Amino acid sequence: MRKRVIFNDKALPYLLLLPQVAITLIFFFWPAAQAVYFSTQIQDAFGLRSQFVWFENFGAILSDPNYLSSIRVTVVFSVSVTVLAIAPALLLSVMADKQIRGATTYKTLLIWPYAVAPAIAAVLWLFIFHPSVGLLGRFLVAIGVPWDYALNDAQALLLVVLASAWKQISYNFLFFLAGLQSIPRSVLEAAAIDGASQTRRFWTIVFPLLSPTTFFLLVVNLVYAFFDTFGTIHALTRGGPGTSTTTLIYRVYVDGRDNLNLGTSSAQSVVLMLFVIALTMIQFRYIERRVHY
Amino acid sequence: MLHERSWHAHLALVLGVAVFAFPIYMALNGSTWDAGTIGGGRMPLYPGAEAAANYGQAWFSGEGARAKGAPVSVMMINSFLMAVIITLGKVAISIISAYAVVFFAFPLRMFFFWMIFITLMLPVEVRIIPTYAVAANLGLIDSFAGLTVPLIASATATLLFRQFFLTIPDELVEASKIDGAGPLRFFWDTVLPLSRTNIAALCVILFIYGWNQYLWPLLITTSPEMETIVIGITKLVSTADAHTDWNLIMATTVLAMLPPVAVVILMQRWFVRGLIESEK
Amino acid sequence: MAEVRLGGVTKQFGAVRVIHGVDCTIADGEFVVILGPSGCGKSTLLRIIAGLEQQTSGQVFIGPRDVTLVEPKDRNIAMVFQNYALYPHLSVFENMAYGLKVRGTPRAEVDTRVRRAARTLELEALLDRRPRQLSGGQRQRVAMGRAIVRDPQVFLFDEPLSNLDAKLRVQMRVEIKRLHQSLRTTSVYVTHDQVEAMTLADRLIVMNAGRVEQIGTPLEVYTTPASTFVGGFIGSPPMNMLSGRLSASGDSVELGDTAVALAGAFPTHAGRPIVLGIRPEHMSIGGRSRLSASVELVEALGADTLVHATTGSAKDIVTLRLPGDARVDRGQRLAIDVAPANLHVFDRDSGQRLGR
């Protein structure tokens, strides 16, 4: 789609584009190109010489048990966060969509966690689940659960998932609510006249009509769990204990910054780029089909 | 209206609100007790008397028995500047680039559009190390420029404005042309005022985005004077145990949440609009 | 004020030619309506005069000045758009003042001119309102106000009334006419509505498929349509078109086995296939005619009665407009009479009028 009416100035459009294009080139394309370049190089210990090694770095990361474990962690983590962030949001939005008293107040009280930084969400949950300081942490220990997320892999992962999902519910809630509000009342009323019960109406009419929103949120939540939860993990567990909460993003950071291995870190970046490109394309396929009703 | 069993709804919603509010209540509570009470696992569920002392200490010195952070006042100013620069910068450069792409015909127009578009697929987390290297080479470490400029280019905002510009009727442009306005005048007199609501909505979202930045500031800032508050807090909790200054951490946490949460609640209408629009 | 002259104007969008060479002159102070069905190129032509669209070839003059390559803002024209195109964020006053302000007119003068225009259009009470607080008719008046404050050489109207309801349209039509009578500014007005065109125009330009079919006063266009297209497009119900053949002598038309005498002879076209055009209001019942038809449907409209009938000779469907008190029943056979002076003869292949 484009405008029929336009201005014909020669230099002005380039001038207007300049700031964004400059930043994009310097901070997006140049680094991305470098990542691709370095992913095919091996540097010596002093970083003085490098050698072209084709896909050796990719081979190295894909045969590295630590990297494979990160993939596993990332999958478990992302799926858990997505499910835990979407299901309650759907429930809450259906409730808030009903014509009940105080609906707008509920809405206000349910959306603000979106504003909490992932790292801060981590600190909040840490303060609750800390085994010797936190309210619930102490409670768990008191009833005999061997609770210590600093030592137990599963518990660490659980805490990171909780903190990450908690913050994302608001976002999903808002989108579900918007989706619900765009369903014409007459459709629901017609179903009610047809004699469908409330539960039946939800699963046979509302939920299918929400499917574009749900799919959209699945993608967005996966992206969130992949990329935006770095702060949560960094603040809560630093990827530990061991590598039990080291996701792919966290590993890129650790390998690049702490272990200073440019080649494998770049190879990891390239893998992630491919992943984002795939997700974006899926999302666009879906946007094309988005006209559902 | 259809018959609804509303007590179900109230129950679920109250539960939801409680789950959301509980961690905040605990943080508020924690910020009103002394470190010893909290560290010893003896903090009650009602507020203590140390609020003034804790907030004062956090705000002015930021140093407790073990904590050696920057004062919250410094970190808040840093976070605020970072968020505001990112917000205004993003809005400014994306609105003019969207204007160029929509209202002008020029060679390479689609090339530039796709170039901006593709950045959607290159989030900072993915290209973090080489981007850091570029910023380091440009001498941007520990500067506000380094903190903000690499985050300012935004395909999302550009796409949002483009989408909106496409809804501006052609006739309005023609009327302007006949009235004697050139492209810059049309932008300033008509497009900008018409974009007000979009700009406001976007500003709310971007302020939160900016304030909550984590990975990039973590890499690009090293000196305490440049520390943002979100980073500052997590440095305080890095060795979380009984001797940690939990009272200071909680006071800092509450202060760190305050600006973005206030923005969301006070500007709820813009926030909801901005969030939903920018994802379309 | 100035005349507007188009010389060989063509327009091509890609490979599609939408205007095939238009030549015409619009006199100083004249109100000219460009009339045609949608997609005939009339709006494009107007936009070429405005400078909003670049012609592929040809020239545009406003007064003595060749404005072919001049920017819209420098053509000294004003335009009223179909959707009004008011600036939604500006008040009525600011909307009307904008063009003057951009041109750096002194504030006091802007104020005087806007208020004068507002008085003319009875907008004085609305000057502080925003467009969205106005009704359709009021918005239309503001759009006209924006045009007249600049006191341009030419007004261009692009279907300005088509977004209004029928009643308001009649009212605004009268206002536009009155405005033109008091300002006498050269005006070019595009519409697809023939009633608007007939009532407003000093002269009509009838367009079809990118070509000018006919230029003339409304009455000329009605009484002597230059082609079957014009005959069918102007007049309601449309002109009846009967296929026939000129007699060997060229002074009568053979419709099947019926012969209809013409007022004049067309010896050059003798024996050729033609189309005979008859306006519904020119048909009457009885008389000497041998054109017979049987009634299919009767619509009594009060003042008139419309009768749809099939002709016995050629099985064409014709519509008659009879007086309101005419008594006609379904199935009845009618003998239709038409004065020879009211018969229009068109060449069947080209659709062009023969004679006159």
Side-chain angles (χ1 to χ4, degrees):
Chain A
M1 181 183 169
R2 59 166 305 176
K3 291 230 165 269
R4 189 183 57 182
V5 182
I6 35 120
F7 294 105
N8 289 313
D9 300 59
K10 294 284 171 283
L12 189 57
Y14 296 103
L15 219 59
L16 293 171
L17 276 167
L18 184 68
Q20 177 144 22
V21 167
I23 293 176
T24 303
L25 281 177
I26 297 170
F27 293 107
F28 284 74
F29 285 98
W30 177 239
Q34 276 192 314
V36 173
Y37 172 74
F38 284 124
S39 71
T40 63
Q41 306 281 319
I42 284 187
Q43 285 189 312
D44 64 20
F46 307 104
L48 297 174
R49 297 165 149 265
S50 58
Q51 190 193 350
F52 181 70
V53 293
W54 291 100
F55 300 110
E56 209 173 285
N57 287 322
F58 292 92
I61 59 170
L62 288 175
S63 58
D64 176 0
N66 279 333
Y67 190 75
L68 298 178
S69 122
S70 294
I71 293 180
R72 232 177 1 257
V73 168
T74 307
V75 170
V76 173
F77 174 76
S78 307
V79 171
S80 316
V81 169
T82 302
V83 171
L84 266 181
I86 285 186
L90 179 58
L91 178 76
L92 289 172
S93 62
V94 169
M95 297 304 170
D97 186 43
K98 293 181 177 178
Q99 311 280 307
I100 55 170
R101 285 170 59 129
T104 48
T105 313
Y106 282 125
K107 193 174 156 194
T108 307
L109 291 174
L110 287 170
I111 61 173
W112 60 264
Y114 175 82
V116 178
I120 304 241
V123 174
L124 292 175
W125 286 91
L126 172 76
F127 189 57
I128 292 171
F129 279 103
H130 193 279
S132 60
V133 173
L135 183 74
L136 293 180
R138 279 187 287 132
F139 172 75
L140 287 171
V141 173
I143 62 169
V145 178
W147 174 262
D148 191 349
Y149 65 87
L151 301 173
N152 183 307
D153 293 2
Q155 291 174 2
L157 194 56
L158 179 70
L159 194 53
V160 180
V161 167
L162 270 183
S164 303
W166 174 78
K167 187 201 128 51
Q168 189 66 3
I169 292 175
S170 304
Y171 180 92
N172 298 339
F173 168 78
L174 271 175
F175 274 86
F176 275 131
L177 196 61
L180 285 168
Q181 283 167 350
S182 69
I183 297 176
R185 289 280 150 193
S186 55
V187 173
L188 298 177
E189 284 165 351
I193 291 166
D194 285 342
S197 72
Q198 224 183 90
T199 322
R200 205 186 153 83
R201 282 207 298 272
F202 179 79
W203 290 111
T204 55
I205 295 163
V206 177
F207 192 67
L209 286 176
L210 274 183
S211 63
T213 310
T214 313
F215 184 81
F216 164 79
L217 288 177
L218 278 177
V219 175
V220 170
N221 280 264
L222 280 176
V223 171
Y224 163 78
F226 255 73
F227 300 113
D228 295 343
T229 53
F230 174 86
T232 320
I233 296 168
H234 190 254
L236 257 181
T237 64
R238 301 272 150 124
T243 57
S244 60
T245 55
T246 301
T247 58
L248 289 169
I249 287 291
Y250 201 82
R251 177 161 298 282
V252 173
Y253 169 79
V254 171
D255 278 4
R257 184 170 193 253
D258 297 355
N259 304 342
L260 292 170
N261 190 334
L262 203 51
T264 53
S265 164
S266 298
Q268 292 179 36
S269 285
V270 172
V271 170
L272 285 172
M273 272 185 233
L274 293 176
F275 175 76
V276 184
I277 289 168
L279 262 185
T280 315
M281 298 213 307
I282 292 173
Q283 204 173 340
F284 278 108
R285 292 288 298 270
Y286 139 80
I287 284 172
E288 279 167 25
R289 290 187 294 116
R290 188 164 169 146
V291 191
H292 192 256
Y293 50 88
Chain B
M1 198 40 237
L2 302 177
H3 171 72
E4 309 273 12
R5 283 166 298 174
S6 69
W7 66 267
H8 270 163
H10 284 292
L11 186 68
L13 290 167
V14 167
L15 214 66
V17 170
V19 169
F20 279 174
F22 177 62
I24 304 298
Y25 177 75
M26 293 306 285
L28 276 170
N29 208 27
S31 69
T32 62
W33 291 94
D34 60 291
T37 308
I38 306 172
R42 298 185 304 272
M43 184 183 83
L45 274 172
Y46 52 86
E50 302 295 319
N54 291 339
Y55 282 101
Q57 197 180 353
W59 185 262
F60 293 110
S61 85
E63 309 213 348
R66 277 174 50 180
K68 294 277 178 282
V72 169
S73 52
V74 170
M75 297 194 289
M76 289 277 269
I77 290 170
N78 289 341
S79 279
F80 186 78
L81 282 175
M82 172 174 75
V84 167
I85 296 173
I86 289 177
T87 304
L88 298 182
K90 270 196 189 230
V91 167
I93 73 165
S94 47
I95 199 168
I96 59 175
S97 57
Y99 186 67
V101 168
V102 172
F103 287 101
F104 292 85
F106 55 97
L108 299 180
R109 175 173 154 274
M110 284 320 279
F111 169 79
F112 283 119
F113 175 69
W114 282 106
M115 183 170 156
I116 292 168
F117 189 84
I118 282 173
T119 59
L120 273 183
M121 305 183 196
L122 298 170
V124 71
E125 288 81 0
V126 170
R127 55 194 162 78
I128 189 75
I129 301 303
T131 310
Y132 174 77
V134 169
N137 287 335
L138 293 175
L140 294 175
I141 307 296
D142 267 332
S143 71
F144 273 107
L147 207 47
T148 55
V149 173
L151 298 176
I152 273 177
S154 163
T156 330
T158 309
L159 293 177
L160 172 73
F161 282 123
R162 173 179 173 271
Q163 210 58 40
F164 171 66
F165 290 166
L166 288 173
T167 68
I168 293 178
D170 286 349
E171 286 81 358
L172 214 54
V173 192
E174 297 180 331
S176 257
K177 280 185 170 184
I178 290 175
D179 272 341
L184 288 178
R185 184 108 204 204
F186 177 65
F187 178 75
W188 192 255
D189 283 352
T190 305
V191 170
L192 215 50
L194 288 180
S195 309
R196 268 183 313 211
T197 52
N198 282 293
I199 293 174
L202 204 56
C203 278
V204 173
I205 300 296
L206 291 179
F207 180 82
I208 294 166
Y209 165 86
W211 185 274
N212 290 348
Q213 278 304 308
Y214 191 84
L215 179 51
W216 184 247
L218 183 66
L219 281 170
I220 206 84
T221 61
T222 53
S223 79
E225 302 90 74
M226 286 300 296
E227 200 117 280
T228 64
I229 192 153
V230 179
I231 306 285
I233 291 174
T234 55
K235 287 201 174 155
L236 291 178
V237 295
S238 58
T239 52
D241 60 33
H243 305 293
T244 304
D245 295 294
W246 289 105
N247 55 336
L248 289 188
I249 294 175
M250 286 306 127
T252 310
T253 302
V254 171
L255 291 171
M257 282 188 296
L258 214 55
V261 170
V263 164
V264 164
I265 290 178
L266 296 179
M267 304 185 75
Q268 189 177 337
R269 194 158 67 93
W270 304 123
F271 164 68
V272 172
R273 192 190 152 113
L275 201 61
I276 305 235
E277 294 283 320
S278 62
E279 296 290 0
K280 263 183 189 160
Chain C
M1 279 181 266
E3 67 167 30
V4 175
R5 191 152 56 82
L6 303 180
V9 170
T10 68
K11 176 69 185 175
Q12 226 162 314
F13 288 112
V16 187
R17 179 162 278 217
V18 291
I19 293 181
H20 303 260
V22 169
D23 296 276
C24 67
T25 303
I26 294 154
D28 184 8
E30 195 176 24
F31 198 113
V32 163
V33 175
I34 307 179
L35 175 69
S38 59
C40 71
K42 57 188 190 299
S43 278
T44 308
L45 193 63
L46 190 78
R47 293 160 53 78
I48 287 173
I49 299 174
L52 293 171
E53 205 87 69
Q54 192 67 49
Q55 64 277 17
T56 307
S57 66
Q59 285 171 301
V60 180
F61 292 86
I62 295 178
R65 200 156 65 108
D66 181 349
V67 296
T68 310
L69 299 172
V70 173
E71 288 286 311
K73 65 183 166 74
D74 300 322
R75 291 193 180 196
N76 201 3
I77 47 143
M79 187 154 168
V80 178
F81 295 89
Q82 177 175 356
N83 65 4
Y84 322 130
L86 300 178
Y87 305 112
H89 58 295
L90 299 182
S91 69
V92 168
F93 182 95
E94 291 163 331
N95 260 286
M96 300 208 302
Y98 185 69
L100 296 173
K101 233 175 73 185
V102 171
R103 288 178 163 75
T105 315
R107 190 180 294 264
E109 195 190 334
V110 172
D111 199 75
T112 325
R113 286 167 78 164
V114 171
R115 287 189 194 283
R116 196 191 315 140
R119 202 171 321 121
T120 314
L121 292 161
E122 291 166 33
L123 287 169
E124 286 160 300
L126 307 174
L127 284 176
D128 293 328
R129 299 231 192 136
R130 293 286 157 93
R132 68 167 174 282
Q133 298 167 302
L134 302 178
S135 69
Q138 289 167 337
R139 285 179 205 182
Q140 187 55 61
R141 282 217 293 275
V142 176
M144 278 169 21
R146 182 166 66 179
I148 66 176
V149 286
R150 291 234 330 271
D151 193 20
Q153 286 187 306
V154 182
F155 284 139
L156 303 173
F157 297 88
D158 190 3
E159 309 223 13
L161 304 185
S162 53
N163 282 4
L164 300 177
D165 64 43
K167 198 173 152 201
L168 211 50
R169 204 147 55 204
V170 174
Q171 194 186 326
M172 289 304 297
R173 207 167 72 200
V174 174
E175 276 192 46
I176 291 177
K177 184 91 188 169
R178 209 167 46 211
L179 200 65
H180 179 252
Q181 279 166 355
S182 68
L183 299 174
R184 306 261 26 128
T185 304
T186 312
S187 303
V188 185
Y189 186 109
V190 160
T191 183
H192 62 268
D193 181 319
Q194 48 164 311
V195 180
E196 240 169 79
M198 300 295 278
T199 51
L200 283 171
D202 293 330
R203 270 196 312 153
L204 282 177
I205 299 177
V206 185
M207 284 187 71
N208 181 35
R211 291 175 209 282
V212 171
E213 292 271 340
Q214 188 169 7
I215 300 180
T217 65
L219 209 61
E220 278 165 12
V221 172
Y222 176 79
T223 53
T224 50
S227 63
T228 47
F229 172 80
V230 178
F233 192 73
I234 290 173
S236 174
M239 182 181 269
N240 295 300
M241 300 290 179
L242 305 172
S243 299
R245 185 175 291 280
L246 271 180
S247 65
S249 53
D251 59 359
S252 68
V253 174
E254 293 159 3
L255 299 169
D257 50 10
T258 315
V260 179
L262 298 172
F266 305 98
T268 50
H269 281 70
R272 296 267 299 273
I274 55 99
V275 171
L276 185 66
I278 312 170
R279 295 220 177 262
E281 51 272 39
H282 291 151
M283 292 178 155
S284 55
I285 310 175
R288 302 158 287 111
S289 167
R290 275 181 296 164
L291 185 61
S292 74
S294 70
V295 177
E296 297 278 333
L297 183 72
V298 178
E299 296 175 296
L301 303 178
D304 304 314
T305 298
L306 296 185
V307 178
H308 304 273
T310 43
T311 59
S313 52
K315 289 287 173 209
D316 283 315
I317 291 185
V318 295
T319 304
L320 297 79
R321 175 183 268 165
L322 302 176
D325 56 3
R327 301 295 312 165
V328 183
D329 295 313
R330 187 162 183 274
Q332 187 182 333
R333 286 202 73 79
L334 301 176
I336 299 174
D337 190 31
V338 184
N342 289 330
L343 294 171
H344 308 270
V345 184
F346 305 98
D347 182 77
R348 198 189 298 172
D349 301 327
S350 70
Q352 294 301 307
R353 180 184 194 86
L354 299 184
R356 274 205 289 181

